[in-house]
Amino acid sequence: MMSSPPAKPSATSPGSRLRLSEALETLSVSSLLSGDLDDGGDGERGGDEEGLGDLEVNPYDGLPFSSRYYALLEERQQFPIWRLRKSLMESLESHNMVLLSAPSGAGKSTQVPQWCVEYALSYEFSQGLVCCSQPCSVAAVSLALRVADEMDLSLGLEVGYRVSHDDGCTPDTLLRFVSDTLLLEEMMSDPLLHQYGVVVLDELQERTVPTDVLLGLLCDVCRQRPDNFRVVLLAHPTLAPRLATFLGPSVPHLSLDSLLSDPPTRGQEEGGEVEEESKTLKVNRVETLYRELSSGKEPVSAACHMVLDLHRRGEEGDVMVFMASAQEIEECVSLLEKECVALSPQLGPLRILPLHTGLGELTQRVYGSDPEASSLRENDSSEGVDGLMGAGGPGVKRKVILTDSLAEASFSLPDIRYVIDTGLQLKTVYNPQIRANSQVLRTISKHQADMRTERVNSHLPGLCLRLYSQSVYNDVMREAHCPGVVEENLSHLVLLLKRLDIADMGQCKFLDRPAPEALMQALEDLDYLAALDDDGNLSEVGIIMSELPLEPPLAKALIAACEYDCVDELLTIAAMLTAPSCFMTAEPSREEAAVTHWRPLMHTEGDHMTLINIYKAYMEHNQDEAWCTTNFLNHAALRLAVVIRAELLAVMQRIELPVSPPAFGCQDNCTNIKRALISGFFLKVAHDVDGSGNYLLLTHRHVAHLHPFSSYLCRQPCPDPPSWVLYHEFTISRDNCIRIASDVHPQMLVELAPQYYLGNLPSSDGKELLMELRQSLEPHTYEQDGVSDVHSCTHRDGDADGTHNQSSTELCVVQ
């Protein structure tokens, strides 16, 4: 028999509740667990004994439920998803995979994991623990906080979370909210996920690469563990038909839409409850208005003015604004703060809250209550992104949530009455032909637009203002957004799947198959990095690379650092490159001041060495936040870099790789650092074609420039631009800048890059120079390398004419 949530205790008088509270204060946990409360016999109970007789005990920690548990239980039972609770529990008994679809805000992300824990409890967790996967790390943390509160348990004990660089679980944690990336990595060491009895795969409609891959892999785990493994798939109704077809008729599909469209009659059992829920849904009606922007008007200013117009109307309700990117969110925050100064105090305060993944743990501020915000504001007059503008007025207190696609399905907030949708998103799309990302500003899909409208969550009539025409919605927007496997670099994914002994991507079941050219490019890059052997399986280097939680080129550079005795320095560089940028984005009026503070930290050998300088200075100042603020550095990013570096060091020690002592500061060490970087990033080298800083990227002949804040452009006196640079990132955008660049000697590239790679480069002056260097070095170097290198060179150079050799073609079979 499956356990059900305890019913609320019967109503008692205020005096009785007071006596119960006083009695609880005198009880110890041991007395509650030992059964000493039952000393009153089976006779009548009076006074305190009657109150204690109603006490329910939490089955997960053995402690009595608090009054807050029952208050939250009443709120939980109002969620529409509760109508599917019984059906879900029955399906879990008879099926090892269940698909459940419900619209945003129905409560599926918080309630379904708790029901899965109840199911696991009915088997006393003999089948394993419960894991809930989330595409977004900040959403996983937020859900863990909320669910722990609803279950009346301690976060980090019975309920926890595990995301990149933050583990809030113990070995005994019963319910774990994890990022989809970490769950996929966990399958490398435990392909059948033996420690889990139930896995919930949430937000499938987000179509991230790890979630799509997990969907296929979990289908296989279900086949191999048919008796003691359950998978619950949660998705928005827009994706449900495709998923149902993909999974087949053997997987039951529970849909909230079907229940709401055909509710039971009043005469049926629980009919009253259904009717009450239907009423609740009808109250949350939303009117959609289209407002096409006039020519030349920016979405940021238009959204800002729309927020102010709504606030001036004086009607109740919070506002959620969907912007295209985090940068636009911050711009809108600044603009609103400036405009709010001129508002009448009689209108009431505006609490402006940004919400995007870059904020990390600060995203939880959106759940803060207004009275607390008011008191904080009165005690602290400093300005910040969490701004309460016009506090103290008699008007309406209102939250304004400025967000991007993060809040389309995550972070369900109460009292959202108005949604303003710009209809745009800034996407980073990878082009395998040129091995570079492009930042593309484009319209969202119809499904995304509908999900944004569903964020209205108010007892009052809602309003969605779309800052585009209805013809854009009908004719321009595609039905659904592109899945990640079609638009992202697949090198790291292929590395993980190779580690899982999946010989080719054709063996992995995909909802949408990756493009063949993207898979071939990923395999080619891994082959260049020596991660694959001649049979297309992982080499020893590839196995070590898969152990490191880094992008493949950075992992290869860190492994090469073991040979060049610069591991300590490469650990710092890898951590700084993995964390967000350590440089604060200064306002245009303060950019010169920021550069003045950065200049003493800049290194003459390039931006990679500058990152080491910054990290060392941060540690020397005891990770002081005030020092970071003074020097226009991001304290959160640097603090995360410290965590990442410690994790990488622990991995290297676990797999017994040599860690050389620090030697930063001498010229030989800087040269060795560059050698290690070239070993991983030889695909990211550029040549100055005219001596004025116009860099031709060798792999795809695009012209780019150094970032304005590169050490080569900010040092005084300003040095001449280096002839050859190795860079970390190039994105095709408005400025076409290469970021984090250091000068390298072309002879290093010839010595360290695979020789067949040089032959495959497109024609350019830089390639001719490298080939001349290669020929001049061959009599002195390559003849001494033995037969193996000559064979490798002749075997690989067949690709120079643009054709793929047979062995590389056989590495991947796309069905």
Side-chain angles (χ1 to χ4, degrees), residues 705-724:
H705 310 277
L706 294 173
H707 190 272
F709 295 143
S710 171
S711 59
Y712 294 109
L713 300 181
C714 293
R715 298 204 320 267
Q716 289 184 346
C718 186
D720 293 333
S723 297
W724 292 80

Side-chain angles (χ1 to χ4, degrees), residues 37-326:
L37 298 178
D38 199 26
D39 57 355
D42 55 1
E44 307 115 5
R45 298 183 179 184
D48 295 348
E49 291 179 342
E50 181 180 354
L52 291 175
D54 291 333
L55 203 62
E56 296 282 355
V57 174
N58 193 323
Y60 306 109
D61 63 1
L63 299 178
F65 285 112
S66 66
S67 58
R68 176 168 174 77
Y69 169 82
Y70 294 106
L72 290 176
L73 180 60
E74 285 189 356
E75 293 180 12
R76 292 169 55 198
Q77 291 173 339
Q78 300 305 312
F79 283 123
I81 199 67
W82 269 73
R83 302 181 60 187
L84 293 177
R85 180 180 180 277
K86 182 179 179 182
S87 299
L88 175 63
M89 301 301 270
E90 291 174 348
S91 297
L92 287 175
E93 289 288 352
S94 54
H95 298 81
N96 58 3
M97 180 173 282
V98 181
L99 170 62
L100 189 153
S101 63
S104 302
K108 59 182 181 296
S109 295
T110 56
Q111 305 310 301
V112 171
Q114 296 184 60
W115 301 338
C116 290
V117 176
E118 290 181 28
Y119 170 81
L121 177 66
S122 67
Y123 290 91
E124 298 181 348
F125 295 97
S126 60
Q127 298 179 353
L129 307 173
V130 179
C131 171
C132 180
S133 165
Q134 291 290 324
C136 184
S137 294
V138 292
V141 176
S142 178
L143 286 170
L145 286 165
R146 176 64 183 180
V147 170
D149 192 22
E150 291 184 355
M151 296 180 70
D152 213 15
L153 296 171
S154 300
L155 181 68
L157 295 179
E158 295 84 9
V159 178
Y161 63 87
R162 185 168 175 264
V163 297
S164 296
H165 320 302
D166 190 4
D167 190 350
C169 293
T170 67
D172 299 324
T173 299
L174 305 177
L175 173 57
R176 304 177 180 192
F177 289 88
V178 304
S179 63
D180 54 6
T181 303
L182 288 191
L183 183 59
L184 185 58
E185 291 179 357
E186 195 171 330
M187 294 189 74
M188 287 197 308
S189 56
D190 184 13
L192 296 182
L193 296 173
H194 286 103
Q195 69 168 325
Y196 297 122
V198 184
V199 171
V200 180
L201 205 58
D202 197 5
E203 309 295 4
L204 279 164
Q205 76 282 345
E206 293 297 309
R207 304 303 309 277
T208 63
V209 172
T211 293
D212 269 18
V213 175
L214 282 169
L215 175 62
L217 295 178
L218 290 176
C219 289
D220 186 58
V221 176
C222 285
R223 285 191 292 270
Q224 298 188 55
R225 293 178 56 191
D227 299 325
N228 61 355
F229 188 68
R230 299 290 184 267
V231 174
V232 180
L233 307 174
L234 303 181
H236 191 270
T238 53
L239 185 64
R242 278 204 66 194
L243 280 172
T245 303
F246 174 77
L247 297 169
S250 62
V251 177
H253 176 201
L254 308 179
S255 172
L256 189 62
D257 284 351
S258 60
L259 284 179
L260 294 178
S261 62
D262 188 20
T265 62
R266 291 190 64 174
Q268 292 178 321
E269 186 179 357
E270 298 181 356
E273 179 184 350
V274 171
E275 183 177 288
E276 182 178 349
E277 292 174 5
S278 298
K279 284 183 179 178
T280 304
L281 290 173
K282 290 179 181 178
V283 169
N284 292 338
R285 58 187 182 276
V286 183
E287 180 183 3
T288 301
L289 297 179
Y290 294 87
R291 293 286 185 270
E292 186 175 8
L293 298 183
S294 57
S295 178
K297 190 164 187 180
E298 293 292 330
V300 173
S301 59
C304 175
H305 293 149
M306 196 68 72
V307 169
L308 297 176
D309 289 343
L310 289 172
H311 189 53
R312 290 189 184 99
R313 292 170 58 179
E315 298 178 359
E316 293 182 16
D318 296 337
V319 185
M320 179 173 282
V321 185
F322 285 94
M323 309 299 297
S325 64

Side-chain angles (χ1 to χ4, degrees), residues 536-582:
N537 301 316
L538 284 188
S539 63
E540 291 184 8
V541 172
I543 292 173
I544 298 174
M545 287 171 59
S546 68
E547 290 283 347
L548 295 167
L550 297 169
E551 58 184 76
L554 200 50
K556 177 62 184 297
L558 187 54
I559 295 171
C562 298
E563 178 183 353
Y564 298 113
D565 295 328
C566 55
V567 173
D568 185 84
E569 292 75 23
L570 255 294
L571 282 171
T572 300
I573 291 174
M576 293 289 282
L577 292 176
T578 304
S581 173
C582 63

